[in-house]
Amino acid sequence: MSGEPFMGPPWAVEWTERAARDRDALPPHVRALCLDVLVEVLTARNPYVNEFSEPLRSSDPKGDHSAHFDDGRGWFEFNFIRRETEPQIVVYELFWQ
């Protein structure tokens, strides 16, 4: 441990290859909606507690979550990796219909 306090928002974000490819394939206006919601998640004090995200399984509230955009037509699934240095959000799936 470095003795530095736990880092707060904005969190670092990583996209899996597949999620990044799906994000880049979105129409520009939809990509902007997705990134707006991602910014809300990234800047939340607790990335799991905000108006856009919900747990995928109620039995695992600190596990994988999804965040919805475009009036529920799209969502991305993510997990928050807690660690002392550089905690981050990993977006591993993105869907839009």
Side-chain angles (χ1 to χ4, degrees):
M1 299 242 174
S2 64
E4 294 179 18
F6 185 74
M7 293 175 55
W11 312 106
V13 65
E14 291 288 330
W15 292 79
T16 63
E17 238 179 83
R18 179 180 174 193
R21 187 176 59 245
D22 292 344
R23 176 201 61 209
D24 295 343
L26 293 173
H29 74 284
V30 177
R31 189 177 320 129
L33 293 171
C34 175
L35 294 178
D36 286 346
V37 171
L38 181 61
V39 167
E40 291 294 326
V41 173
L42 291 175
T43 58
R45 184 76 187 131
N46 180 342
Y48 288 151
V49 181
N50 61 66
E51 65 180 289
F52 299 104
S53 68
E54 60 187 35
L56 292 180
R57 291 187 311 235
S58 61
S59 62
D60 190 12
K62 292 186 178 183
D64 297 342
H65 274 60
S66 65
H68 299 85
F69 60 93
D70 196 16
D71 295 321
R73 292 183 61 203
W75 64 87
F76 57 88
E77 295 178 358
F78 68 93
N79 199 326
F80 180 60
I81 300 174
R82 293 169 173 80
R83 52 185 169 205
E84 188 67 26
T85 58
E86 207 175 317
Q88 69 180 11
I89 291 172
V90 176
V91 179
Y92 60 87
E93 188 167 351
L94 174 69
F95 180 80
W96 180 74
Q97 57 185 359

